[in-house]
Amino acid sequence: MRRKDFLKTGFAAGIGSMLPAGNKTTAPSPIISKARNIIFFAYDGFSWEDFSSAQHFARRNFGKPLHIEKLFQTGSAGSMQSHSLTSMVTDSSAATTTWATGQKIVNGSLSAYPDGKELTTILELAKARGKATGVVSTTRVTHATPAGWIAKHINRRAEEDIAKQLVEFKADVMIGGGVETFSPELRSDGLDLYKPFFDAGYTIVTDPERLASATGDKILATLHESHIPFEIDRKFQDIKAPALKEMAQKGVEILDGAKNGFVLQVEAGRIDHANHRNDAAASLWETLAADETLGILMDYTDRTPGTVLIVASDHGTGGTSVYGVGERYRSSSDIHDLLKKRTASFPWIMDQLGSSPGRSLIVDVIEDSTGVRVGLPEAEMLQKAIAGEITMPDEAAFPRQPIATLGWILKGGTNENPTHLNINYGTTQHTAGAVPAALYGNGVDVKPFGLVDNTDFFYWMTESLGIQYENPEMAAEKALEFY
Ligand code: ZN
Ligand code: MG
Ligand code: ZN
């Protein structure tokens, strides 16, 4: 269902949050001329509130605005609504499918309806027309967001099967994490999925330090066993991992030579993972790493005629809220700077604590890596959570435990004397609100595009590539019959 139908029909009575199916209309396209290359840069789990947090942090601490600010000020930009076929809250697999196919599906699947019927993705359409294709991500390359542009599966978690589909499709560029879904030592079926790529002439890279010097016109680079480690740990804990910008740069460098242009999806995939854990600093550093990458992609777009850069979040995660503190909220920005004192991700902190930490160890480890000294009652709360006894309220909103309790105990202070970071999370789940989206580059109309739907992006891409294609639609009521 396209945006206009949604506005027209709204929420139909009797089916709760499910949205009614409707006839398609043609949303006005903000892309006005034909593109040779498309780069789609997905920020997973990135809300407007995350945007503000990073924006203010960068201005105050680096003395300059972020590239994403520049993008939103000079480009065609707005907000995107993201509901899936049968839920007002989308997951990443339904969201990425909608970008890649123009159709909404049920959460948890990749480019497939619950009856198994498969959808055709923009990468397939582009490849069939002689274009090169690629995916780059800080997650495993078989994880939902990159995989949805290639694979079809009713279960996004079947990543070993999804890896087989990546073998079938053979995108020219696949760079991210995920050795575990290709390696014969780590796959449950013992298959070596590097071999077919090697046989097909791919450059295979598994050592992050060899990425920069990798050459060739086709590459499979899996640079970590699972997801690429968090940027905050890469930066401050000396964890060996590639930066997103290095991966994206290599992807663009390889695709740049493609005779008929290319379609490349790049993903900052772990803003979402940090927000699921209510880890504001890990989220911030993922966003800052994404922003460096965005700068590189905007430069590339500027100097490469016929390139369109699309930037969009797939949904919000965690319900981040940066709140005002102090007299006339005047302490808000100072206290937000406490983010500077955070030097490790929550998973890293939890690893240091182990499975049965004492309260004083909890207090010390947290102080070392966040600059905040929590009290013994808070330490005890985390101690209990690690032991499986959850004492923070609202299990429905905070099911990811014990890590959410760590975020919870880092809150506190008084309005007169704020001592703790002024970022609150409403949940460890995804959220429904509209998220940032922007277009940049070749022939992009600079008008803001207001509120769009995630279905619109597929049609902008096909239109700018000169492709006419419509995937089959499934009504939400029909989809629900399968569950
Ligand atoms: Zn997502
Ligand atoms: Mg993702
Ligand atoms: Zn998520």
Side-chain angles (χ1 to χ4, degrees):
M1 185 180 65
R2 307 292 298 278
R3 176 172 61 108
K4 282 181 180 167
D5 302 311
F6 173 69
L7 295 175
K8 204 160 53 200
T9 53
F11 293 87
I15 50 169
S17 64
M18 190 174 74
L19 295 166
N23 298 321
K24 285 189 168 46
T25 58
T26 308
S29 169
I31 297 176
I32 55 170
S33 64
K34 232 180 145 186
R36 172 182 156 81
N37 309 318
I38 292 178
I39 302 172
F40 192 111
F41 189 7
Y43 279 49
D44 199 318
F46 180 68
S47 68
W48 279 112
E49 206 73 6
D50 298 315
F51 181 111
S52 288
S53 184
Q55 172 187 38
H56 287 274
F57 187 88
R59 282 177 173 270
R60 285 172 65 84
N61 296 293
F62 310 145
K64 60 179 185 189
L66 294 172
H67 298 293
I68 199 166
E69 274 194 65
K70 182 185 157 206
L71 173 70
F72 274 76
Q73 286 163 9
T74 61
S76 174
S79 290
M80 184 202 85
Q81 63 190 21
S82 66
H83 58 274
S84 67
L85 182 59
T86 53
S87 170
M88 68 185 291
V89 180
T90 190
D91 85 324
S92 299
S93 60
T96 198
T97 296
T98 304
W99 283 335
T101 70
Q103 293 295 342
K104 290 185 189 281
I105 63 163
V106 180
N107 290 344
S109 298
L110 290 171
S111 296
Y113 286 120
D115 61 359
K117 192 181 187 103
E118 296 176 351
L119 300 164
T120 301
T121 74
I122 185 77
L123 286 201
E124 291 175 278
L125 295 169
K127 192 178 190 198
R129 285 155 183 81
K131 288 193 180 288
T133 57
V135 290
V136 171
S137 177
T138 45
T139 68
R140 298 183 292 268
V141 294
T142 47
H143 201 245
T145 311
W149 294 62
I150 296 170
K152 293 95 194 279
H153 208 293
I154 58 165
N155 178 13
R156 60 175 278 183
R157 296 187 200 287
E159 291 188 46
E160 291 194 350
D161 288 348
I162 288 164
K164 287 184 186 169
Q165 295 189 29
L166 300 197
V167 171
E168 285 290 299
F169 184 73
K170 292 204 176 59
D172 301 271
V173 165
M174 287 155 285
I175 305 175
V179 170
E180 64 189 33
T181 56
F182 292 90
S183 158
E185 284 89 48
L186 298 173
R187 282 182 62 92
S188 60
D189 57 11
L191 281 177
D192 180 356
L193 295 193
Y194 289 112
K195 189 171 183 303
F197 287 108
F198 183 80
D199 291 346
Y202 276 70
T203 302
I204 312 273
V205 186
T206 51
D207 177 354
E209 283 174 5
R210 304 189 72 159
L211 180 66
S213 60
T215 54
D217 56 1
K218 289 177 287 187
I219 187 170
L220 170 64
T222 48
L223 304 169
H224 197 271
E225 188 171 311
S226 179
H227 303 307
I228 302 297
F230 281 121
E231 174 76 6
I232 192 172
D233 297 331
R234 198 182 71 84
K235 208 167 169 64
F236 301 112
Q237 301 299 335
D238 213 21
I239 304 274
K240 203 177 105 178
L244 176 58
K245 66 176 178 188
E246 293 158 5
M247 299 192 287
Q249 192 146 32
K250 180 57 66 177
V252 166
E253 179 190 307
I254 287 176
L255 292 174
D256 186 49
K259 199 167 72 213
N260 298 316
F262 64 83
V263 180
L264 169 68
Q265 188 249 212
V266 177
E267 185 199 20
R270 305 206 70 201
I271 302 170
D272 175 68
H273 295 177
N275 284 334
H276 273 299
R277 292 163 172 83
N278 293 178
D279 185 347
S283 174
L284 169 76
W285 284 104
E286 291 303 301
T287 302
L288 296 175
D291 201 69
E292 288 184 58
T293 309
L294 178 60
I296 288 167
L297 297 177
M298 287 171 75
D299 284 349
Y300 178 81
T301 303
D302 286 340
R303 64 171 192 268
T304 313
T307 303
V308 170
L309 173 63
I310 302 175
V311 178
S313 167
D314 58 347
H315 52 76
T317 302
T320 319
S321 59
V322 183
Y323 57 91
V325 284
E327 167 75 17
R328 302 186 187 217
Y329 297 160
R330 71 180 172 199
S331 308
S332 310
S333 303
D334 288 340
I335 209 77
H336 186 259
D337 283 345
L338 275 177
L339 279 169
K340 268 194 296 191
K341 298 202 171 158
R342 291 214 190 167
T343 54
S345 70
F346 282 7
W348 188 93
I349 293 173
M350 295 302 261
D351 277 354
Q352 306 303 305
L353 296 178
S355 57
S356 54
R359 285 184 301 174
S360 59
L361 178 72
I362 291 178
V363 171
D364 290 347
V365 168
I366 290 178
E367 186 173 19
D368 278 354
S369 48
T370 69
V372 168
R373 194 164 176 84
V374 298
L376 288 176
E378 287 77 32
E380 193 179 337
M381 200 175 163
L382 182 59
Q383 196 177 33
K384 282 183 176 166
I386 290 170
E389 189 195 332
I390 308 304
T391 53
M392 70 177 277
D394 203 353
E395 200 187 329
F398 296 94
R400 298 219 181 192
Q401 295 289 358
I403 208 153
T405 298
L406 175 55
W408 186 266
I409 66 170
L410 279 166
K411 300 191 279 195
T414 63
N415 204 30
E416 296 73 40
N417 180 28
T419 53
H420 292 39
L421 181 65
N422 59 329
I423 298 183
N424 208 349
Y425 283 93
T427 178
T428 56
Q429 309 288 69
H430 290 183
T431 56
V435 287
L439 302 171
Y440 185 76
N442 175 66
V444 170
D445 188 336
V446 295
K447 283 201 305 283
F449 54 71
L451 181 66
V452 295
D453 191 78
N454 56 358
T455 45
D456 291 326
F457 292 71
F458 173 79
Y459 297 97
W460 298 341
M461 289 189 283
T462 47
E463 209 169 300
S464 66
L465 293 176
I467 298 170
Q468 283 266 327
Y469 194 85
E470 183 88 27
N471 269 300
E473 192 172 350
M474 179 177 275
E477 293 84 343
K478 171 108 170 101
L480 282 175
E481 284 171 13
F482 293 85
Y483 296 96

